[in-house]
């Protein structure tokens, strides 16, 4: 009855309740749900810090040890054995075992275990086999120091935690999703983990970064030790095979070749990138060939692959482990420290057990020697009872046991009685003494290890590295990534049109005026006759304002595009001239550029991508006593300011029209360009080495270690290879000196040449497989030093110093050059060049008028009115 009353209180036991009655789940949530959540967290999803295993993984490893006889076992058999300990289905056990096997550390596999590169799954468990690796047998198991517990049905014993003497959790990584909790510990490099453990034991600092089995390039700038909020950026390794082919040799962690190719094809279908076809030649190593249409920039396509496909992704680690049956959030540094400290404790426990066993062996060996050497076994001949035998032996031993480390027990005497007559008759006193001395040496060594436990642990880790470290070098290359702007690398896959009179822009206005190619992620900047400006997203059809005078694809943070404008403020008002640029805006907001008067009108407008300043002719209407009705106006005399500036006064009289008289030249200084060797990219932000100031037609000289020479425009999207040896501003009159080894003639040659064909890549060494470029210098008057190999039994030939200018004149780029020497060369070095005065170039200050940095980039939303000092009359 009480039960029914309780049920009625919860709204469950009243038979008269309608279907709309409320059911309280407070009790269920508190008991059942929290029990379930705790079970999932502790028993399924999150690994333990002690050994780095989830329960299913630990049970698999325990089963493999029980079945281990040195031969391979069918995985299906191992799975069946594991089910004695794991209360779940065979499929989940098999999947977990395949994941361990694919990490190639603990399990020696045989058969088709799948491929992490292609995403192919493993064969069925009945077809594949496994056994423990030598590393696992050495590092994971030690039954004497293992704590045991009953399995779920009480029939078997299983380990609470395996005594793992290695930071296994960090080596393999772990990922799991529980109820309201998840973990994602990234894998780290085997050798680096051992080195970090040794540094920790020595009290030195260390850092740990992930290393992925799929290799690739990683940016760990924000790794944050694997804690919540950290991030690792991963990229595929993409290189240029030729001008129309890219090759992907390494893929990002978390992807496979199938998913990567699918993402590339999807981006191609959406028009983000443009490719001709893809070939997947992946076998033991990744090789994906991406064929490009003719004329498409490989560098730009590589950036687009990173921006729009799975060739770049971001991984958010989350270090969560189980300690003392509770989830704990810690970083990888603390994980390694705890693991290393735990390894020291396990080694200590093993040494203590070993010491006890050695001392027991020494104790009994000493007793056995005393028992046989002193013929104590004869004392029991007259004894008729068992007690008498024990007492007789005990009495016979007492005079000889003073040097023993512990008292003689009855168990010891019983063991002596079990010695066979055959052993007594063949007893060798000398061998017995050698055995005791050998045990004493081992005992002394073990005690030494215990007294110097840290040194012993360091030697243990060094031995692991020596035995198992070969072939486990870092796979993922650590770099700092450059940020890729999607709008700069997206393929322009659609066309933009404008209806100027009606004020519409869009991609669907195909009957109207064509503006430019664009993409669906571009912004468009529009200027109207009323002196208003707006930036809006590309769309099929957008109204921006009637009488459009200029429309173009908008480039964010563009300081080099300068807009020249003359406008009339209000009806009958004065006219002003202004120059400005637009670097940042609020999208879809209309900005007034010609004052707040609704009757303002733009009289002249031009957009200049390099800050050009033209000369215009102003013609006034005949009005009153005006004498000068026509004069020229040079925009170069007007400073570039923010878009909200009012400008300079042109005239207060009515303007008839304004005509272009002379096209302008750039009023911006040549761009200063730097090379950042960290990301191997050019920039204009002052990062890295300054290459020089570049005008529109200036080029870069690029020389590769493979012997290729080319000149290219200083495009900020260009990617430079790791084999580049020269990168500088190209001077067409400056000779290039190259020492190369001619493979066919087996001699060193020196050549000197000028680049004859700009924007063309040329090979300056022969194509013989043994040919190579020894060195290159772009000094005006270089000097080289040749060091010769010392002949056997003779003195070495003195070093040869060569003035390159005297040795060879400037010849064609394809010329072989002059033979350097017929002797065997040890090394060739570049010495300090001879003095040379370079022809002086016209300085930027003399050529140009306006410095980019001095431009007033006002981004205020409200136009500021100038005071009188800003309104200089030009008439």
């Amino acid at each position: 009855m009480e039960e029914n009353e309780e049920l009625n209180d919860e709204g469950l036991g009243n038979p008269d309740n309608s279907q709309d009655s409320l059911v309280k789940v407070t009790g269920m949530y508190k008991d059942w749900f929290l029990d379930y959540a705790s079970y999932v967290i502790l028993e399924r999803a999150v690994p333990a810090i002690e050994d780095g295993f989830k329960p299913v993984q630990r049970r698999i490893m325990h089963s493999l040890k029980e079945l281990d006889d040195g031969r391979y076992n069918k995985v299906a058999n191992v799975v069946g054995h594991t089910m004695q300990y794991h209360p779940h289905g065979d499929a989940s056990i098999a999947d977990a075992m395949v994941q361990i096997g694919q990490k190639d550390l603990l399990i020696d596999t045989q058969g088709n275990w799948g491929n992490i590169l292609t995403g192919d799954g493993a064969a069925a468990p009945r077809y594949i086999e496994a056994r423990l690796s030598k590393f696992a047998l050495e590092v994971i198991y030690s039954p004497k120091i293992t704590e045991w517990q009953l399995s779920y049905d009480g029939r078997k014993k299983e380990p609470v935690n395996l005594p793992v003497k290695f930071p296994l959790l960090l080596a393999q990584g772990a990922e799991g999703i529980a109820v309201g909790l998840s973990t994602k510990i990234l894998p780290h490099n085997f050798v680096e983990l051992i080195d970090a453990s040794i540094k920790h034991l020595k009290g030195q600092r260390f850092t740990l970064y992930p290393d992925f089995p799929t290799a690739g390039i990683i940016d760990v700038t924000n790794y944050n030790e694997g804690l919540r909020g950290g991030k690792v950026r991963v990229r595929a390794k993409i290189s240029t095979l030729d001008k129309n082919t890219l090759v992907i040799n390494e893929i990002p962690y978390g992807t496979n070749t199938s998913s990567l190719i699918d993402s590339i094809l999807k981006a191609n279908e959406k028009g983000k990138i443009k490719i001709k076809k893809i070939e997947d030649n992946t076998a033991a190593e990744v090789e994906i060939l991406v064929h490009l249409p003719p004329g498409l920039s490989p560098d730009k396509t590589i950036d687009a692959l990173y921006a729009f496909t799975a060739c770049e992704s971001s991984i958010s680690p989350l270090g969560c482990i189980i300690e003392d049956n509770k989830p704990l959030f810690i970083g990888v540094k603390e994980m390694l420290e705890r693991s290393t400290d735990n390894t020291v404790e396990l080694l200590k426990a093993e040494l203590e057990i070993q010491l006890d066993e050695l001392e027991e062996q020494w104790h009994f060996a000493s007793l056995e020697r005393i028992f046989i050497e002193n013929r104590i076994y004869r004392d029991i001949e007259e004894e008729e009872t068992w007690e008498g035998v024990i007492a007789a032996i005990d009495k016979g031993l007492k005079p000889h046991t003073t040097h023993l480390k512990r008292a003689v027990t009855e168990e010891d005497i019983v063991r002596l009685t079990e010695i066979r007559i055959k052993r007594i008759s063949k007893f060798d006193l000398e061998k017995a003494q050698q055995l005791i001395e050998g045990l004493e040496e081992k005992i002394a060594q073990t005690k030494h290890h215990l007294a110097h436990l840290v040194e012993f642990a360091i030697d243990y880790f060094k031995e692991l590295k020596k035995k198992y470290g070969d072939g486990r070098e870092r796979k993922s290359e650590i770099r700092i990534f450059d940020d890729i702007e999607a709008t700069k690398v997206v393929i322009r896959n659609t066309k933009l049109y404008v209806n100027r009179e009606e004020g519409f822009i869009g991609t669907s206005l195909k009957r109207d005026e064509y503006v430019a190619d664009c993409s669906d992620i571009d912004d468009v900047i529009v200027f109207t006759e009323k002196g208003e400006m707006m930036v809006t997203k590309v769309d099929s059809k957008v109204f921006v304002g009637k009488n459009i005078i200029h429309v173009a694809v908008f480039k964010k943070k563009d300081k080099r595009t300068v807009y020249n404008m003359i406008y009339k403020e209000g009806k009958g008002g004065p006219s002003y001239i202004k120059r400005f640029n637009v670097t940042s805006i609020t999208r879809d907001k209309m900005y007034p550029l010609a004052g707040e008067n609704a009757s303002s009108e733009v009289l002249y407008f031009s957009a200049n991508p390099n800050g050009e300043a033209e000369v215009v002719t102003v013609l006034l209407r005949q009005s009153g006593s005006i004498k000068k009705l026509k004069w020229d106006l040079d925009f170069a005399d007007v400073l570039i300011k923010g878009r909200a500036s009012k400008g300079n006064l042109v005239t207060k009289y009515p303007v008839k029209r304004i005509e272009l008289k002379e096209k302008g030249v750039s009023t911006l200084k040549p761009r200063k360009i730097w090379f950042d060797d960290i990301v191997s990219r050019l920039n204009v932000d002052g990062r890295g080495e300054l290459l020089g100031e570049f005008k529109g037609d200036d080029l870069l000289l690029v020389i590769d270690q493979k012997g290729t020479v080319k000149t290219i425009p200083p495009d900020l999207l260009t990617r430079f290879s790791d084999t580049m040896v020269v990168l500088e501003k190209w001077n067409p009159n400056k000779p290039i000196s190259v020492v190369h080894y001619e493979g066919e003639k087996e001699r060193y040659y020196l050549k000197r040449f000028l680049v004859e064909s700009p924007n063309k890549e040329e090979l300056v060494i022969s194509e013989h497989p043994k040919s190579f470029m020894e060195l290159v210098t772009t000094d005006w008057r270089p000097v080289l030093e040749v060091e010769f190999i010392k002949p056997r039994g003779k003195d070495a030939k003195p070093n040869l110093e060569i003035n390159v200018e005297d040795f060879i004149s400037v010849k064609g780029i394809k010329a072989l050059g002059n033979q350097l020497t017929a002797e065997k060369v040890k090394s060739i070095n570049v010495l300090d060049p001879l003095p040379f005065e370079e022809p002086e170039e016209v300085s930027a200050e003399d050529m140009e008028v306006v410095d980019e940095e001095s431009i007033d980039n006002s981004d205020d939303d409200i136009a500021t009115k100038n005071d009188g000092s800003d309104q200089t009359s030009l008439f």
Side-chain angles (χ1 to χ4, degrees):
M1 187 65 188
E2 291 177 1
E3 269 187 313
N4 287 337
E5 287 176 2
E6 288 179 9
L7 287 172
N8 288 338
D9 288 341
E10 294 294 331
L12 298 175
N14 186 356
D16 296 327
N17 280 350
S18 65
Q19 292 181 349
D20 296 332
S21 61
L22 297 175
V23 178
K24 297 181 180 178
V25 295
T26 310
M28 299 180 193
Y29 180 84
K30 189 179 294 182
D31 299 331
W32 304 342
F33 181 77
L34 290 181
D35 286 348
Y36 170 70
S38 300
Y39 170 75
V40 173
I41 292 169
L42 300 178
E43 294 296 325
R44 287 174 66 179
V46 184
I49 184 61
E50 288 83 2
D51 58 6
F53 287 124
K54 298 179 184 179
V56 65
Q57 297 170 330
R58 187 179 301 113
R59 288 159 181 160
I60 289 169
M61 299 309 297
H62 176 57
S63 297
L64 279 167
K65 184 67 170 78
E66 285 193 323
L67 294 171
D68 181 57
D69 58 0
R71 296 180 295 176
Y72 287 99
N73 288 287
K74 287 283 186 184
V75 168
N77 187 28
V78 179
V79 170
H81 195 86
T82 307
M83 290 181 73
Q84 296 178 88
Y85 306 102
H86 196 61
H88 293 280
D90 58 344
S92 62
I93 298 172
D95 290 344
M97 189 169 176
V98 168
Q99 287 181 12
I100 298 172
Q102 287 180 340
K103 290 170 181 174
D104 192 28
L105 185 61
L106 302 179
I107 298 179
D108 186 2
T109 60
Q110 184 166 277
N112 176 18
W113 280 68
N115 190 330
I116 59 172
L117 299 177
T118 62
D120 295 332
R126 61 185 178 275
Y127 297 124
I128 56 178
E129 297 178 324
R131 66 181 177 188
L132 289 170
S133 67
K134 292 180 180 179
F135 173 78
L137 287 167
E138 181 172 344
V139 166
I140 290 182
Y141 304 102
S142 186
K144 293 174 183 176
I145 60 171
T146 302
E147 183 183 352
W148 301 89
Q149 64 184 0
L150 289 174
S151 61
Y152 71 95
D153 60 2
R155 288 189 175 93
K156 293 272 188 177
K157 282 189 175 181
E158 63 174 338
V160 176
N161 288 301
L162 287 168
V164 178
K165 302 183 290 293
F166 179 78
L168 192 63
L169 177 58
L170 292 174
Q172 294 195 122
E175 189 169 354
I177 300 174
V179 180
L181 186 72
S182 66
T183 183
K184 189 159 190 172
I185 299 166
L186 303 182
H188 294 70
N189 182 261
F190 181 92
V191 176
E192 290 176 7
L193 288 173
I194 291 178
D195 291 340
S197 294
I198 293 172
K199 285 183 178 179
H200 170 60
L201 292 172
K202 289 181 177 179
Q204 300 172 354
R205 292 183 179 180
F206 63 89
T207 54
L208 287 174
Y209 296 122
D211 185 28
F212 301 121
T214 54
I217 312 167
I218 62 174
D219 185 341
V220 294
T221 307
N222 299 315
Y223 183 44
N224 193 29
E225 292 191 3
L227 289 165
R228 188 195 304 271
K231 185 173 71 171
V232 177
R233 294 169 66 188
V234 291
R235 281 182 178 177
K237 184 167 278 188
I238 310 174
S239 55
T240 304
L241 192 63
D242 56 53
K243 63 180 181 180
N244 291 325
T245 311
L246 303 177
V247 59
I248 301 174
N249 295 117
E250 297 174 10
I251 59 176
Y253 182 66
T255 67
N256 53 60
T257 54
S258 300
S259 63
L260 194 69
I261 290 172
D262 287 345
S263 74
I264 294 173
L265 294 174
K266 192 174 180 181
N268 183 60
E269 289 170 6
K270 289 186 174 180
K272 305 287 187 186
I273 62 173
K274 191 178 289 185
I275 62 170
K276 191 176 179 182
K277 67 174 181 176
I278 294 182
E279 286 183 63
D280 187 4
N281 299 330
T282 301
E285 303 290 337
V286 173
E287 185 181 80
I288 302 172
L289 298 179
V290 182
H291 297 276
L292 308 179
L296 200 63
S297 166
D299 291 338
K300 189 173 180 180
T301 305
I302 291 174
D303 282 349
L305 287 170
Y306 287 143
F308 302 114
T309 74
C311 288
E312 178 179 337
S313 61
S314 180
I315 301 173
S316 298
L318 179 57
C320 179
I321 49 91
I322 297 298
E323 185 184 56
D324 296 331
N325 286 323
K326 294 177 184 176
L328 178 67
F329 294 91
I330 59 174
V332 295
K333 186 173 183 289
E334 188 175 349
M335 285 184 200
L336 183 116
E337 290 172 350
R338 286 174 181 243
S339 173
T340 305
D341 294 341
N342 185 51
T343 298
V344 173
E345 291 302 314
L346 292 172
L347 291 172
K348 180 183 178 183
E350 286 184 343
L351 287 171
E352 288 173 344
I353 291 173
Q354 181 182 331
L355 180 61
D356 289 341
E357 291 175 345
L358 288 170
E359 287 182 339
E360 278 300 307
Q361 291 175 30
W362 179 87
H363 179 79
F364 187 74
S366 299
L367 275 181
E368 184 183 58
R369 179 187 169 188
I370 294 167
F371 181 71
I372 298 174
E373 184 183 2
N374 295 287
R375 302 175 185 270
I376 295 171
Y377 52 84
R378 289 183 175 179
D379 297 346
I380 65 175
E381 293 175 354
E382 304 297 328
E383 300 296 333
E384 297 180 356
T385 63
W386 178 249
E387 290 78 7
V389 170
I390 298 297
I393 295 174
D394 187 30
K395 183 179 178 182
L397 290 173
K398 275 186 179 178
H400 309 286
T401 57
T402 54
H403 69 288
L404 297 181
K405 297 177 182 178
R406 68 171 176 83
V408 179
T409 63
E410 187 175 338
E411 288 78 9
D412 295 332
I413 297 173
V414 171
R415 283 185 66 188
L416 290 174
T417 63
E418 293 171 354
I419 299 174
R420 296 182 178 182
I421 299 297
K422 185 178 181 181
R423 178 169 175 77
I424 294 174
S425 64
K426 290 190 174 182
F427 185 75
D428 188 329
L429 184 62
E430 188 176 341
K431 284 186 178 179
Q433 185 59 33
Q434 287 177 357
L435 173 64
I436 291 171
E437 288 174 357
L439 289 170
E440 286 174 348
E441 287 180 8
K442 290 180 181 178
I443 289 170
Q445 186 181 42
T446 305
K447 285 182 176 179
H448 179 271
H449 291 332
L450 281 167
H452 303 84
L453 195 57
V454 173
E455 289 82 356
F456 177 73
I458 290 172
D459 291 338
Y460 168 80
F461 279 114
K462 287 180 178 178
E463 187 64 21
L464 284 183
K465 181 178 177 180
K466 181 180 177 182
K467 289 169 71 174
Y468 306 107
D470 288 345
R472 298 189 182 276
E473 294 78 17
R474 168 167 283 279
K475 292 185 176 181
S476 299
E477 181 185 349
I478 297 176
R479 279 193 201 166
I480 296 176
F481 291 172
D482 51 319
D483 293 322
I484 298 171
E485 292 186 35
T487 53
K488 290 185 177 180
V489 298
V490 68
I491 299 297
R492 307 289 187 231
N493 59 342
T494 187
K495 298 182 185 298
L496 178 68
Y497 301 91
V498 60
N499 185 324
R500 295 181 183 271
E501 188 177 349
E502 297 296 327
F504 288 97
I505 62 168
T507 57
S508 63
L509 308 175
K510 296 183 179 180
R511 295 184 179 180
D512 293 307
E513 180 187 342
Y514 166 76
V515 177
D517 289 347
C518 66
S519 73
D520 54 5
I521 65 171
D522 278 332
D523 289 317
V524 181
I525 187 167
V526 181
F527 296 85
T528 68
E529 202 173 272
K530 290 174 61 178
E532 294 177 328
M533 179 199 77
M534 177 191 285
V535 175
T536 187
K537 199 82 174 171
V538 166
D539 209 336
S540 58
K541 187 176 181 180
V542 181
F543 177 77
V544 291
K546 292 186 176 183
N547 299 318
I548 295 171
I549 57 174
H550 178 73
V551 57
V553 175
F554 178 62
K555 299 177 183 178
K556 293 178 182 177
K557 300 178 182 177
D558 181 12
K559 295 182 179 180
R560 294 192 70 83
T561 298
V562 176
Y563 301 99
N564 297 338
M565 188 171 85
I566 300 174
Y567 68 94
K568 180 179 68 174
E569 186 178 33
K571 190 174 182 180
S575 299
Y576 294 91
I577 183 172
K578 62 190 289 186
R579 301 184 74 204
F580 60 94
N581 55 16
V582 180
T583 55
S584 63
I585 45 80
T586 301
R587 190 182 284 132
D588 295 325
K589 178 179 177 180
M590 189 66 79
Y591 289 90
L593 304 176
E596 300 292 340
N597 196 311
S599 302
S600 294
E601 179 185 359
V602 176
L603 303 175
Y604 178 86
F605 184 89
S606 67
N608 307 281
N610 285 299
E612 291 86 354
E614 62 269 37
V615 177
V616 296
T617 301
V618 180
L619 293 95
L620 300 184
R621 296 184 184 277
Q622 181 67 50
S623 176
S625 59
I626 302 176
K627 295 180 181 178
K628 193 173 183 181
L629 298 176
K630 177 182 176 182
W631 74 94
D632 293 340
L633 198 59
D634 191 347
F635 274 96
D637 297 330
V638 182
L639 293 177
I640 301 172
K641 296 190 176 181
R643 62 166 182 264
S645 66
K646 190 167 187 175
N648 297 338
L649 182 65
V650 177
T651 178
K652 58 185 178 180
Y653 299 108
V655 176
K656 183 178 181 182
R657 67 177 182 275
I658 297 176
E659 298 174 347
L660 176 64
K661 180 179 180 181
E662 183 182 319
K663 288 186 178 181
V665 294
S666 175
T667 58
L668 300 178
K669 283 187 177 181
R671 281 200 306 176
K672 288 184 179 180
I673 294 181
W674 287 261
F675 176 69
D676 185 351
D677 60 353
I678 296 176
V679 297
S680 297
R681 300 292 282 263
L682 303 174
N683 68 88
V684 293
D685 306 319
R687 300 191 312 273
E689 178 188 357
L690 178 64
L691 298 178
E693 297 180 338
F694 288 77
K695 300 191 291 292
D697 54 351
D698 285 337
L699 298 175
L700 281 170
L701 172 66
V702 183
I703 304 178
D704 194 272
Q705 209 165 11
K706 299 174 184 177
T708 60
V709 176
K710 61 182 177 181
T711 55
I712 60 172
D715 187 351
L716 302 186
L717 295 177
T718 303
R719 308 184 72 87
F720 296 92
S721 70
D722 297 334
T723 57
M724 178 183 66
V725 291
V726 172
L727 177 65
E728 62 181 44
K729 185 179 177 182
W730 178 51
N731 184 335
N733 301 315
K734 191 177 182 183
I736 300 167
S737 304
V738 170
V739 175
H740 64 103
Y741 183 81
E742 170 51 50
E744 185 177 353
K745 300 180 183 297
E746 297 185 343
R747 291 283 190 274
Y748 284 96
Y749 286 82
L750 173 59
K751 62 188 295 183
R752 205 158 179 246
F753 58 89
L754 296 172
V755 175
E756 300 163 352
S757 304
N759 297 311
K760 180 183 176 183
E761 184 175 293
E762 295 191 81
L763 187 67
V764 298
I765 62 175
S766 75
E767 296 182 358
H768 192 278
K770 291 185 179 179
S771 296
F772 61 87
M773 186 170 70
E774 175 69 18
L775 64 81
V776 60
T777 174
T778 56
D779 292 329
W780 284 94
R781 302 179 66 197
V783 178
L784 305 181
E785 181 187 52
V786 182
E787 186 178 356
F788 299 98
I789 293 176
K790 181 180 180 296
R792 183 176 295 178
K794 297 181 181 179
D795 293 335
K797 188 176 180 181
N799 292 355
L800 175 64
E801 190 171 300
I802 297 173
N803 180 345
V804 175
E805 191 178 31
D806 295 340
F807 187 83
I808 186 171
S809 59
V810 177
K811 298 183 178 180
I813 196 168
K814 293 295 184 182
L816 178 63
N818 293 351
Q819 181 177 302
L820 201 61
T821 178
E823 303 291 333
K824 289 186 177 180
V825 174
K826 182 178 180 181
S827 65
I828 304 172
N829 306 307
V830 179
L831 303 180
D832 292 335
L834 297 173
F836 180 81
E837 290 187 12
E838 294 186 38
E840 289 187 12
E841 292 186 13
V842 180
S843 67
E845 284 74 10
D846 294 336
M847 284 192 305
E848 311 293 349
V849 180
V850 180
D851 189 351
E852 268 184 271
E853 283 70 16
S854 70
I855 297 173
D856 178 14
N857 294 316
S858 174
D859 294 323
D860 297 335
D861 289 338
I862 301 173
T864 55
K865 293 184 179 179
N866 290 6
D867 56 19
S869 60
D870 192 35
Q871 300 179 22
T872 306
S873 175
L874 299 177
F875 175 64

